[in-house]
């Protein structure tokens, strides 16, 4: 899962989870999740147990799918490495367009971005159909104030990859 809370997936987080009897735990974001059923059958078992006991609406980890998955599978959770998968706004958008450009100048960032396997486009502002229609150099912001600069310099090869992938997909859907 993507890491989404201050407490990272780690031995320390698992110890805190055990010491607090599940009240404190590392949380992830379910924009992208990898699991092996052999290690995660407990997720559905715990869900049914809580639901059948009538505690579903009163139990804090049930307020969102990623919270529940993180809570139920805490002993097996690991964060996805940033060289493998990222959330688009977290990786490619910063709170000022100059910062977005500055991050893009860093050679290790450019190298890592070129090798990304998974990029999730979460948020209404950065849906594929909107992105591929943007003019070169356009700036858009998300509700958190992060700015996207739609340029090859700011996004590296990702802009062309998104255009190629979603243009083909849009054409296929139209047929």
């Amino acid at each position: 899962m993507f890491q989404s809370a201050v407490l990272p997936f780690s031995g320390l987080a698992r110890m805190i989870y055990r010491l607090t009897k599940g009240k404190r735990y590392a949380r992830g974001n379910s924009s992208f999740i990898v699991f092996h059923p052999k290690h995660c059958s407990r997720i559905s078992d715990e869900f049914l147990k809580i639901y059948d006991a009538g505690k579903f609406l009163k139990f804090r980890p049930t307020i969102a799918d990623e919270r529940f998955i993180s809570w139920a599978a805490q002993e097996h959770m690991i964060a996805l490495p940033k060289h493998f998968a990222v959330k688009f706004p977290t990786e490619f958008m910063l709170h000022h367009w100059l910062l977005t450009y500055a991050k893009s100048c860093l050679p290790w960032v450019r190298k890592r971005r070129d090798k990304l396997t998974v990029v999730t486009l979460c948020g209404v502002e950065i849906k594929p159909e909107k992105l591929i229609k943007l003019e070169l150099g356009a700036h858009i912001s998300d509700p958190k104030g992060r700015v996207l600069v739609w340029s090859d310099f700011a996004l590296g090869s990702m802009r062309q990859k998104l255009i190629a992938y979603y243009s083909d997909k849009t054409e296929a859907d139209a047929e």
Side-chain angles (χ1 to χ4, degrees):
M1 270 184 134
F2 290 128
Q3 187 71 44
S4 70
V6 176
L7 187 61
F9 294 127
S10 64
L12 174 63
R14 287 184 284 279
M15 182 182 74
I16 291 170
Y17 174 79
R18 287 188 294 271
L19 290 173
T20 63
K21 295 180 175 55
K23 290 182 181 173
R24 299 282 181 258
Y25 54 96
R27 292 190 313 269
N29 182 290
S30 62
S31 296
F32 187 76
I33 181 170
V34 179
F35 74 96
H36 191 290
K38 174 182 174 185
H39 300 293
C40 296
S41 64
R42 181 171 183 242
I43 296 170
S44 58
D45 296 341
E46 286 294 320
F47 181 88
L48 291 172
K49 186 171 111 182
I50 291 165
Y51 185 81
D52 290 343
K55 298 178 183 175
F56 186 78
L57 296 175
K58 299 172 189 164
F59 188 56
R60 181 107 175 115
T62 60
I63 66 171
D65 61 345
E66 60 258 3
R67 282 184 181 242
F68 187 77
I69 293 167
S70 298
W71 176 82
Q74 190 71 192
E75 295 295 328
H76 301 286
M77 297 299 295
I78 59 170
L80 293 169
K82 287 186 178 181
H83 66 271
F84 174 69
V86 294
K87 290 180 7 181
F88 187 89
T90 305
E91 178 62 29
F92 293 97
M93 300 170 73
L94 293 168
H95 286 87
H96 193 281
W97 64 270
L98 283 173
L99 295 173
T100 301
Y101 274 121
K103 184 176 180 180
S104 300
C105 291
L106 302 173
W108 59 89
V109 170
R110 293 184 82 77
K111 184 178 179 181
R112 181 174 47 80
R113 286 177 173 179
D114 282 341
K115 294 181 178 183
L116 285 170
T117 304
V118 176
V119 177
T120 65
L121 299 174
C122 47
V124 174
E125 302 76 22
I126 55 168
K127 290 301 178 200
E129 58 275 4
K130 289 184 178 182
L131 290 179
I132 64 174
K133 292 178 183 174
L134 288 174
E135 290 189 29
L136 187 62
H139 292 199
I140 57 172
S141 297
D142 70 1
K144 293 183 179 181
R146 297 176 292 201
V147 178
L148 166 65
V149 180
W150 188 248
S151 74
D152 291 331
F153 183 80
L155 300 174
S157 63
M158 186 54 60
R159 188 178 88 83
Q160 290 303 320
K161 288 176 183 177
L162 290 169
I163 290 170
Y165 181 80
Y166 287 108
S167 292
D168 290 346
K169 192 170 178 64
T170 304
E171 290 169 13
D173 290 345
E175 293 175 0

